[in-house]
Amino acid sequence: MTSPQSNTNRRLLGMVWPFVLVVVLQVVLGVGSLNVLSAVRAYVGGESLWSKGQKDAIYYLSLYAESHDEADYQRYLAARVVPLGDRQARLALDQSPPDLGTASQGFLLGGNHPADIHGLIWLYRYFRSTSYIESAVQAWHEGDRYMGLLADVAEALHDGITTASLTAEQLGALRQRIQVINQGVTPVAQAFTNTLGEASRKIRDLLLWSNLGAAVLLIAMAVWRTRKLIRQSAAFERALQLSEERFQLAVSGSNDGIWDWDIENGVMYYSPRYKELLGFSPDELTGDITLLADYLHPDDYASTIAAFNAHFSGHPGYDVEYRMRTKSGSYRWFRARGQAQRDASGRPIRMAGSFTDITDRKLAEAALSAEKKRAQVTLASIGDAVITTDTSGRIEYLNPAAEGLIGVKADAAHGRPLGDLFHLLDESSRQQEMHPLARILGTETGEKTISNLLLIRQDGSEVAVDMIGAPIRDSIEGIIGVVLVFHDMTRERQYIASLSWQASHDALTGLVNRREFEHRLKQLSDSPRQLCGEHSLMYLDLDQFKVVNDTCGHAAGDELLRQVCMLLQQRLRKNDTLARLGGDEFGVLLENCPPETAIGIAETLRNTVSDLHFAWNGRPFSVSVSIGVVHIQSRPTSLEEVLRAADVACYMAKEKGRNRVQVYQTDDSELSLRYGEMEWVNRIQYALEENRFCLYAQDIATLNSGKPESAHFELLIRLRDERGELVPPIAFIPAAERYGLMPLIDRWVVKTAFATLADLLDDEEPCPIATCAINLSGASIGDDQFLGFLYQQFKLNSIPPSLICFEVTETSAIANLSSASRFMNELRSLGCRFSLDDFGAGMSSFAYLKHLPVDYLKIDGSFVKDMLDDPIDRAMVEAIHQIGHVMGKSTIAEFVESAAVIEMLAGIGVDYAQGYAIGRPQPFSSDFLLRRRPAAGHAVAHQMLKGKDVIF
């Protein structure tokens, strides 16, 4: 309660504030007027000094003209300092913005008192445009002009006198000009003085009228305020009387008891209704505060006293519930409310309030509380989330499971709309679901079960739920709320999502896998709307991944893949798809990406991988990537075509030096070639499955008649296409080598050749052949499992190892020197022989021969076929033959197509010859072997040397 002193202070302030306002206004006017008068006075004083300075300057200059005394001229200069200083101040104040420092210095030079400087500047800046000040400034400006003319005369006079060059006529003219200036300055100074005087008088009059106006306003305010106070006083009296009457009516008509405690005197008033509630008559119970202590339940005494003390200590309001003993001896519940009145020091002096019987309410609350506890225990033990709301959707109850589900405690959620805490989406379409209340209250039965929902919490996290809802009804108002039961489907959804993720993502890198990548690419190519845009596909292959894997193990390789994937993902756009297609190969799908942008992204990815400084156990590795880019045109394109084109472009990037971006162009001949090779991949695989490969054999004849005659031939592979026509090896071998199919072909060749040889060896007849040469690829030489395969085939078919000569190309042997050496030594220990094919065509170095345990050197046919006409080719053949013989190796010349070549080779001493001049390739079969007779090829060679024609 507010103290009387505070009320008095507020009323006093309300009465006097208008008068205070008027006095403040008058003080402001007075201070302002005094400032203006002071400034004007300063200008009047300054004008006197200014005028005196002008007159003194004219006087001393006139005296100097007569006396020619330098002292007079110096007095002239000293006198003109005052008007020049004032001129400096005026010019500084006319600047924009004003130069206040220069203005202050000027006024000081003008002889003004330092205390007046601020007023002079203030008046000039803010009243410059008023009529009186404007007139004064014009006079000031005119006076300065005369001083300027005087300065010109003084300078001319001083120069003439100093140099003695001044004539009498010139001196007279200068004196005349001084008199003219003197006559012009006098009225200007007078006008300056008159203007300032008039301004002073006007300001004085304005101040007088302002004060009179303030006095009149003060009197009017006093009259108006007094009349208002009289009217308010009368209104207060009427309101007080009306309030007293209403209070009496309220007390007599209320069902509550009234109590009024005079704290200072210890007197307590109990209304008749108060006594009636306790079972007493109006004449019973004395007005004593001890009644409360005598009839109060012992268990409620402490809380009641605490409520009194809290209110007396400043707590707003007194409101307490307690039990009191009635006249019959039973206890009933009551609610007492009251308010204390305090004195000026804040000490309570009186307290009054109401007294209400709340026994029925307490009994109902107890029953409801017991029922509520049973319900809460039941709901708390339920694993599903239970939420109840009113009909407007505001939350009334959450069980613990619901608190955990929506992430909000029940106390914080109470009274808030459902939409503030979560919202529901359809799990499949992710569209906003209709409000649960609208769904439930909009059905006839009111019950609703909804599955496959996503509950979106406040923090944006999602929970998969199923919902069951039903209205809450009472017997009077009908529907009073809604109960929602949510079943958390997180574990089920997580399990499903985990399976889905695992099916579409790579476990090591977390990227989408080939299956998902191809699915997205197919969706893009199948969608007419998407196909209208510009898209690009990239195929990435790490260049040095195998080095890391082989050197440091798979753990290092896995870490390299993770780092590369993280960097690539950071450089891609939000909607781009990065996938691991297998091993160290990745795919990138750029949707709605023009070709030039796609190439820029590809270069960014290439540079990103090149800049990666990967180290494992302190050992650094250089990493780069080759990228093939395909622009998906706005036309239907099959998935296989796009992927194949990207793969071809990537391989072209590797062939051109790696660490580069290759864009697929349909008119690029190199890419077309690689594209054709990729088509051969499937054809080769189908040919292996359908056993459409076949072997041909070509004789190798000895050129040395002194050697024993025996059948020696090389097996050559052919392929029958889908129409049954023979396809030469040059058409499919490059593709097989490039795409790792040669080991499969080599295995087929060995298996087929050994089986055919085994059939011949089973006969009792002597074996008609001495050497069967079988070509092996570089991939098979470096494959340890292939060596085991050969052991198995030798044993399975009982083939004498001495019968077999394996041919390896010079390039593949030197490229895998250590593997080739180990491979050859292993098989030579069994008795096999080796021939180094195409020697001289590749990276030939005679030094390599020391490390390769070969038996034959096959001189490349490019040297042999032109050796008749090219002496260099002949020299190469001779050199290879001579070095081979020195190292104990026999030599075989390829591409021998004429008798003249045979004759030249024999002259050089080459051991064997192979080519159309010896024999064309024939199907390799048992019949072919049976037709081989010892010395057949040898006889052919010698017949050609004798000039005889042999027809095959």
Side-chain angles (χ1 to χ4, degrees):
M1 182 180 292
T2 307
S3 65
Q5 181 65 35
S6 299
N7 289 331
T8 302
N9 293 337
R10 282 201 301 270
R11 294 183 63 188
L12 178 61
L13 180 60
M15 292 174 60
V16 303
W17 74 263
F19 306 105
V20 173
L21 179 62
V22 173
V23 171
V24 170
L25 178 61
Q26 190 170 8
V27 170
V28 171
L29 287 173
V31 171
S33 299
L34 289 175
N35 285 338
V36 174
L37 285 175
S38 176
V40 172
R41 177 193 57 77
Y43 266 101
V44 171
E47 187 277 332
S48 297
L49 296 173
W50 177 74
S51 298
K52 183 177 182 303
Q54 286 182 333
K55 290 298 184 180
D56 288 347
I58 293 172
Y59 169 73
Y60 286 122
L61 188 59
S62 299
L63 188 61
Y64 176 63
E66 294 177 0
S67 65
H68 295 185
D69 187 354
E70 183 65 24
D72 291 332
Y73 184 75
Q74 293 301 322
R75 293 187 188 93
Y76 154 75
L77 292 178
R80 68 193 294 266
V81 168
V82 172
L84 289 179
D86 292 334
R87 180 176 180 274
Q88 172 185 329
R90 178 176 60 78
L91 293 176
L93 292 176
D94 284 339
Q95 295 179 14
S96 180
D99 188 348
L100 301 182
T102 303
S104 298
Q105 293 176 0
F107 280 131
L108 288 173
L109 290 174
N112 296 282
H113 194 278
D116 295 333
I117 300 302
H118 177 74
L120 292 170
I121 294 175
W122 174 79
L123 184 65
Y124 189 91
R125 290 185 65 190
Y126 298 106
F127 294 91
R128 168 72 169 79
S129 59
T130 60
S131 59
Y132 291 106
I133 302 301
E134 179 68 26
S135 299
V137 171
Q138 290 178 359
W140 187 359
H141 184 274
E142 184 66 16
D144 287 343
R145 187 179 68 82
Y146 278 113
M147 289 304 296
L149 296 175
L150 185 64
D152 294 340
V153 173
E155 183 177 358
L157 182 62
H158 185 259
D159 289 344
I161 292 173
T162 303
T163 60
S165 61
L166 193 64
T167 65
E169 290 78 5
Q170 291 175 337
L171 180 60
L174 291 176
R175 287 179 178 176
Q176 183 63 32
R177 289 177 63 186
I178 292 173
Q179 292 304 318
V180 171
I181 292 172
N182 185 35
Q183 293 173 2
V185 166
T186 300
V188 170
Q190 186 62 39
F192 198 177
T193 302
N194 293 339
T195 301
L196 292 177
E198 183 66 20
S200 177
R201 289 189 292 274
K202 288 294 184 179
I203 291 173
R204 181 195 62 196
D205 295 342
L206 178 61
L207 180 59
L208 175 61
W209 286 108
S210 298
N211 289 332
L212 288 175
V216 171
L217 180 62
L218 180 60
I219 294 172
M221 290 289 292
V223 173
W224 170 76
R225 192 60 181 169
T226 301
R227 292 183 63 185
K228 186 175 181 180
L229 289 175
I230 293 173
R231 289 196 298 269
Q232 287 179 347
S233 178
F236 288 156
E237 290 179 0
R238 289 195 300 272
L240 181 61
Q241 182 179 358
L242 181 61
S243 177
E244 183 67 23
E245 291 174 356
R246 287 175 178 170
F247 175 73
Q248 292 299 330
L249 288 173
V251 170
S252 60
S254 174
N255 194 41
D256 294 344
I258 300 298
W259 53 273
D260 187 353
W261 180 20
D262 184 350
I263 298 176
E264 289 187 329
N265 299 320
V267 177
M268 190 75 168
Y269 166 74
Y270 301 107
S271 70
R273 179 58 181 163
Y274 187 105
K275 298 177 182 179
E276 182 182 351
L277 290 174
L278 292 175
F280 293 98
S281 65
D283 298 332
E284 294 180 282
L285 297 180
T286 59
D288 191 348
I289 189 61
T290 58
L291 172 69
L292 183 63
D294 294 340
Y295 288 87
L296 190 64
H297 193 286
D299 293 342
D300 299 330
Y301 183 83
S303 60
T304 304
I305 298 302
F308 271 119
N309 293 333
H311 182 53
F312 290 162
S313 300
H315 190 277
Y318 166 76
D319 191 344
V320 65
E321 295 179 355
Y322 49 69
R323 289 160 291 182
M324 287 191 70
R325 189 177 71 253
T326 64
K327 185 176 181 180
S328 64
S330 62
Y331 282 93
R332 295 185 67 83
W333 277 97
F334 295 94
R335 180 184 182 186
R337 288 173 289 182
Q339 186 72 35
Q341 182 181 3
R342 303 174 188 273
D343 60 12
S345 63
R347 183 174 59 88
I349 57 175
R350 184 181 178 182
M351 188 173 179
S354 61
F355 184 72
T356 307
D357 189 336
I358 59 171
T359 302
D360 293 341
R361 193 198 80 189
K362 282 290 186 179
L363 293 176
E365 286 179 354
L368 182 62
S369 176
E371 185 66 25
K372 184 177 180 180
K373 287 181 179 179
R374 284 193 294 271
Q376 286 178 339
V377 171
T378 302
L379 291 175
S381 62
I382 294 176
D384 289 340
V386 179
I387 303 175
T388 61
T389 73
D390 58 17
T391 54
S392 64
R394 296 188 177 276
I395 294 176
E396 293 183 341
Y397 171 77
L398 300 178
N399 72 341
E403 291 180 338
L405 179 66
I406 66 175
V408 179
K409 291 295 184 182
D411 293 342
H414 188 271
R416 297 176 62 181
L418 285 174
D420 286 357
L421 303 180
F422 65 88
H423 62 277
L424 299 174
L425 301 180
D426 182 86
E427 187 175 19
S428 57
S429 66
R430 296 192 69 85
Q431 296 296 317
Q432 182 80 36
E433 271 290 314
M434 183 186 298
H435 195 284
L437 267 67
R439 277 185 172 269
I440 295 167
L441 300 180
T443 60
E444 293 183 1
T445 61
E447 297 182 359
K448 190 69 176 179
T449 300
I450 309 174
S451 302
N452 301 322
L453 297 176
L454 286 177
L455 185 146
I456 311 300
R457 298 190 182 103
Q458 287 178 304
D459 59 3
S461 57
E462 302 177 355
V463 183
V465 296
D466 288 344
M467 184 192 80
I468 301 174
I472 302 174
R473 307 175 187 270
D474 66 1
S475 58
I476 301 174
E477 298 180 1
I479 296 177
I480 60 172
V482 170
V483 59
L484 303 174
V485 180
F486 292 95
H487 177 65
D488 189 347
M489 301 291 293
T490 300
R491 288 190 177 181
E492 291 89 338
R493 294 293 187 272
Q494 285 177 344
Y495 180 70
I496 295 173
S498 176
L499 291 179
S500 176
W501 190 93
Q502 292 174 10
S504 60
H505 286 75
D506 175 57
L508 174 64
T509 62
L511 302 178
V512 297
N513 56 19
R514 177 181 285 273
R515 176 176 174 274
E516 176 64 16
F517 185 76
E518 292 179 351
H519 173 68
R520 295 185 185 183
L521 181 59
K522 188 173 188 304
Q523 281 186 322
L524 185 67
S525 60
D526 291 347
S527 172
R529 181 178 64 85
Q530 291 289 345
L531 198 58
C532 294
E534 296 181 291
H535 317 291
S536 294
L537 174 69
M538 296 184 195
Y539 197 97
L540 293 79
D541 193 331
L542 296 182
D543 295 327
Q544 302 298 330
F545 178 74
K546 190 174 185 302
V547 174
V548 177
N549 239 7
D550 293 346
T551 305
C552 300
H554 291 289
D558 292 347
E559 179 60 24
L560 174 59
L561 289 176
R562 282 190 286 265
Q563 292 187 21
V564 168
C565 292
M566 180 182 66
L567 292 174
L568 293 179
Q569 194 73 63
Q570 292 172 354
R571 298 297 185 271
L572 293 175
R573 304 173 305 171
K574 182 179 180 181
N575 294 328
D576 296 338
T577 299
L578 173 63
R580 185 186 180 197
L581 304 182
D584 58 346
E585 299 172 347
F586 301 91
V588 177
L589 182 59
L590 305 175
E591 298 185 33
N592 299 313
C593 184
E596 57 275 8
T597 303
I599 294 173
I601 294 175
E603 286 292 347
T604 299
L605 298 182
R606 185 187 65 79
N607 290 329
T608 298
V609 175
S610 297
D611 293 340
L612 173 62
H613 300 290
F614 179 76
W616 186 262
N617 294 332
R619 181 176 181 179
F621 291 91
S622 297
V623 184
S624 61
V625 65
S626 298
I627 303 177
V629 181
V630 176
H631 303 310
I632 304 175
Q633 306 296 329
S634 57
R635 59 179 176 81
T637 306
S638 69
L639 174 67
E640 293 75 12
E641 288 178 354
V642 175
L643 289 174
R644 190 181 302 119
D647 194 10
V648 167
C650 182
Y651 271 100
M652 283 300 298
K654 281 186 171 294
E655 278 199 353
K656 291 183 178 181
R658 305 176 184 268
N659 191 25
R660 60 182 292 133
V661 175
Q662 177 69 46
V663 180
Y664 181 83
Q665 302 290 346
T666 55
D667 56 354
D668 189 317
S669 59
E670 287 187 276
L671 288 174
S672 298
L673 176 62
R674 296 297 173 260
Y675 195 83
E677 289 179 350
M678 289 192 67
E679 290 182 339
W680 269 109
V681 172
N682 290 331
R683 295 183 66 183
I684 291 171
Q685 291 174 339
Y686 289 143
L688 287 170
E689 292 174 2
E690 297 169 4
N691 199 29
R692 285 192 279 109
F693 282 101
C694 56
L695 292 177
Y696 274 62
Q698 185 177 29
D699 285 317
I700 299 174
T702 178
L703 299 180
N704 189 344
S705 58
K707 290 189 176 181
E709 299 177 354
S710 59
H712 185 174
F713 56 86
E714 178 186 359
L715 294 181
L716 306 174
I717 191 167
R718 300 290 187 268
L719 181 150
R720 293 193 180 275
D721 63 13
E722 293 78 3
R723 297 186 299 274
E725 297 180 0
L726 283 179
V727 179
I730 190 62
F732 60 86
I733 289 297
E737 290 178 339
R738 184 178 305 278
Y739 295 101
L741 298 177
M742 283 307 301
L744 296 177
I745 295 176
D746 289 344
R747 286 171 182 258
W748 183 91
V749 170
V750 170
K751 189 174 181 180
T752 304
F754 278 26
T756 303
L757 291 173
D759 291 340
L760 177 65
L761 294 175
D762 286 342
D763 294 339
E764 296 180 357
E765 296 292 330
C767 179
I769 59 175
T771 304
C772 176
I774 300 176
N775 288 281
L776 294 181
S777 66
S780 296
I781 294 174
D783 186 359
D784 292 337
Q785 293 182 353
F786 186 76
L787 190 60
F789 168 77
L790 290 177
Y791 286 148
Q792 180 187 29
Q793 291 299 313
F794 276 119
K795 183 177 181 180
L796 181 65
N797 295 282
S798 301
I799 302 296
S802 60
L803 191 66
I804 303 301
C805 176
F806 291 110
E807 288 194 10
V808 295
T809 64
E810 172 204 359
T811 302
S812 63
I814 294 176
N816 303 278
L817 188 59
S818 60
S819 298
S821 298
R822 183 176 66 254
F823 182 86
M824 292 177 181
N825 287 324
E826 287 278 350
L827 293 177
R828 279 177 62 87
S829 65
L830 294 179
C832 296
R833 287 167 290 166
F834 280 88
S835 176
L836 193 60
D837 199 7
D838 298 334
F839 189 78
M843 302 176 290
S844 60
S845 171
F846 293 119
Y848 289 127
L849 291 176
K850 295 188 296 183
H851 305 288
L852 292 174
V854 297
D855 302 277
Y856 302 95
L857 292 182
K858 296 192 75 172
I859 304 171
D860 188 70
S862 62
F863 302 125
V864 176
K865 65 181 181 178
D866 295 327
M867 63 184 294
L868 293 175
D869 303 318
D870 191 335
I872 296 178
D873 287 345
R874 175 185 172 90
M876 289 294 295
V877 172
E878 292 176 346
I880 295 173
H881 170 70
Q882 291 173 5
I883 293 298
H885 270 214
V886 169
M887 299 181 71
K889 305 178 190 305
S890 299
T891 55
I892 302 174
E894 298 179 307
F895 285 79
V896 178
E897 299 178 355
S898 67
V901 172
I902 293 178
E903 184 177 358
M904 182 174 287
L905 291 171
I908 293 173
V910 175
D911 300 299
Y912 297 92
Q914 179 182 0
Y916 283 179
I918 305 299
R920 291 179 178 272
Q922 299 182 33
F924 179 64
S925 62
S926 298
D927 293 339
F928 168 83
L929 295 175
L930 292 174
R931 290 197 303 269
R932 298 300 93 191
R933 286 180 170 80
H938 176 76
V940 170
H942 282 278
Q943 288 177 13
M944 295 190 70
L945 288 173
K946 295 176 181 178
K948 297 179 181 180
D949 295 329
V950 179
I951 305 298
F952 290 90

